[in-house]
Amino acid sequence: MKQSITLSLLAIVSILFTACSTKPLALKMTAEPSKKYVYRSSNMTETNIAVMGMDQKVVMDQSTEQEYDIQKVNDDGSMDIKLTTLSMKMEQVNPMMSMTFDSENPDKNEPADMVKGMKALVGKEYTLKMSPQGKILELETEGGAFSGAFDNLPNGEAMEEQMEAQFGTATIKQSMSQMTGFFPEEPVKVGDTWMKSNKIESGMAMVVETTYILKERKDGIAYIDFSAKVTTDPEADGIEMMGMQMKYDLAGTQSGTIQVDEKTGWTKKTKGKQEMKGKMNMSGGPTGEMSADMNIVSEYVYEQIEK
């Protein structure tokens, strides 16, 4: 009799579990005030450039740890968040020179003048408002991210503008939008797909058209695969660097996986790879107008960690 009752209970639990797992999932971000999340983002990028018969390779390895401190949950479900960069590492190797920055081991930083501005990012606090769908509604900080960091250096103003364009507030907002802007508008079941379009306006301006599919639900985690078509924005002004204007004509793909906590909507881990190739067109420098073949491969991981 006891064995029969146990088997019946197991059957009921199995039915309830199956019903819950097949019910459409409404993914959205939630959090309690004073809750903190820490994320580590890691990115390895290899850029190969062929110009004037010469091949050049630039390798950048970068990692950042950031804390999201929930200050307030508003009536509409949006969250007021204090975002703080806890630490940062960067190593860049190219044919002309190498750069190293490690906020936790400053004695290794070189060349000192070039990486000085990176120190301004560590400990920097941003005021952030995020919707339940992961959209960045507001992101601001007191002064520019690099205000005053290069005041005592030759060409300091130009260096500040360049660093702001590469690592400043607009760039942070764009990268966060990519990491959190995947939520479907409607509840989804396993096998359902949805699309998102994202325009990156800072740095190398790009248009990203992404298709997502809910592949699996297991132990409270939603597993999502994604694939994207990536193109540089033909209407973008390009980037000015060292007196040269650079415009990009690149296209490629991006793919990867996302693991999301079904209860909170906060990402547990995102892993992806992006490949792009095409042309970099330069003008305004001492060599005049010229074009270079460019191939970029980037692999990245964004994961929640315990601190």
Side-chain angles (χ1 to χ4, degrees):
M1 175 67 73
K2 288 184 178 179
Q3 184 178 8
S4 177
I5 294 174
T6 300
L7 290 173
S8 297
L9 288 173
L10 288 174
I12 293 172
V13 170
S14 177
I15 292 171
L16 289 174
F17 178 79
T18 302
C20 290
S21 63
T22 57
K23 181 180 178 181
L25 175 63
L27 278 172
K28 65 177 182 178
M29 300 183 74
T30 62
E32 299 176 359
S34 76
K35 179 71 175 179
K36 296 181 181 180
Y37 298 94
V38 178
Y39 284 86
R40 178 188 293 124
S41 61
S42 305
N43 187 297
M44 171 71 80
T45 300
E46 180 177 308
T47 304
N48 289 282
I49 304 172
V51 57
M52 299 178 66
M54 297 182 294
D55 294 333
Q56 300 183 13
K57 181 169 73 173
V58 179
V59 178
M60 178 178 283
D61 187 2
Q62 182 178 328
S63 64
T64 306
E65 292 185 2
Q66 293 180 309
E67 178 185 80
Y68 294 74
D69 186 354
I70 313 301
Q71 303 289 295
K72 180 184 177 182
V73 178
N74 302 300
D75 293 339
D76 61 359
S78 64
M79 294 168 284
D80 294 342
I81 302 170
K82 181 174 72 175
L83 171 64
T84 306
T85 300
L86 304 178
S87 65
M88 190 172 188
K89 296 180 182 180
M90 184 193 72
E91 184 174 4
Q92 179 177 300
V93 180
N94 63 54
M96 299 180 62
M97 63 178 296
S98 297
M99 290 192 297
T100 301
F101 176 79
D102 186 344
S103 62
E104 297 180 341
N105 297 282
D107 292 341
K108 298 181 179 180
N109 296 348
E110 60 177 0
D113 288 351
M114 293 293 291
V115 299
K116 180 181 178 182
M118 305 295 288
K119 297 179 183 179
L121 291 176
V122 180
K124 193 77 175 180
E125 295 182 353
Y126 298 84
T127 301
L128 165 68
K129 176 172 284 189
M130 184 183 292
S131 77
Q133 289 72 40
K135 184 177 180 180
I136 311 303
L137 303 175
E138 298 176 12
L139 178 65
E140 55 187 35
T141 187
E142 185 176 348
F146 298 95
S147 295
F150 302 99
D151 283 354
N152 298 322
L153 298 178
N155 299 318
E157 184 176 345
M159 292 178 69
E160 181 178 330
E161 290 179 359
Q162 182 178 332
M163 291 293 287
E164 187 70 38
Q166 189 172 359
F167 298 103
T169 305
T171 302
I172 291 175
K173 183 176 181 179
Q174 293 286 354
S175 62
M176 287 180 59
S177 295
Q178 282 191 288
M179 294 297 183
T180 63
F182 60 85
F183 291 92
E185 299 294 332
E186 302 292 338
V188 290
K189 303 187 299 294
V190 172
D192 284 351
T193 63
W194 64 99
M195 295 187 67
K196 292 283 183 177
S197 178
N198 187 30
K199 194 170 184 178
I200 301 173
E201 298 178 350
S202 59
M204 186 188 297
M206 296 185 292
V207 178
V208 185
E209 301 282 349
T210 308
T211 300
Y212 300 91
I213 179 171
L214 178 58
K215 293 290 289 185
E216 184 183 12
R217 297 176 62 186
K218 184 178 180 181
D219 298 329
I221 303 297
Y223 294 83
I224 300 169
D225 286 1
F226 65 89
S227 60
K229 177 183 177 182
V230 186
T231 57
T232 49
D233 186 355
E235 299 179 0
D237 293 332
I239 300 174
E240 184 175 345
M241 186 179 297
M242 299 177 65
M244 297 182 66
Q245 188 74 18
M246 293 180 288
K247 295 196 69 173
Y248 299 92
D249 183 11
L250 305 172
T253 60
Q254 182 172 275
S255 62
T257 59
I258 307 171
Q259 299 176 22
V260 186
D261 186 319
E262 293 186 0
K263 183 179 179 180
T264 67
W266 285 75
T267 302
K268 303 294 287 186
K269 185 176 183 178
T270 297
K271 186 176 182 179
K273 182 176 183 179
Q274 183 184 91
E275 299 181 79
M276 298 186 71
K277 62 175 59 177
K279 296 283 187 181
M280 175 176 65
N281 302 305
M282 297 164 282
S283 62
T287 58
E289 293 189 5
M290 59 187 302
S291 179
D293 293 321
M294 178 176 274
N295 183 24
I296 306 173
V297 178
S298 182
E299 298 186 40
Y300 59 89
V301 178
Y302 178 73
E303 59 187 331
Q304 191 179 129
I305 62 173
E306 299 292 333
K307 293 289 285 188

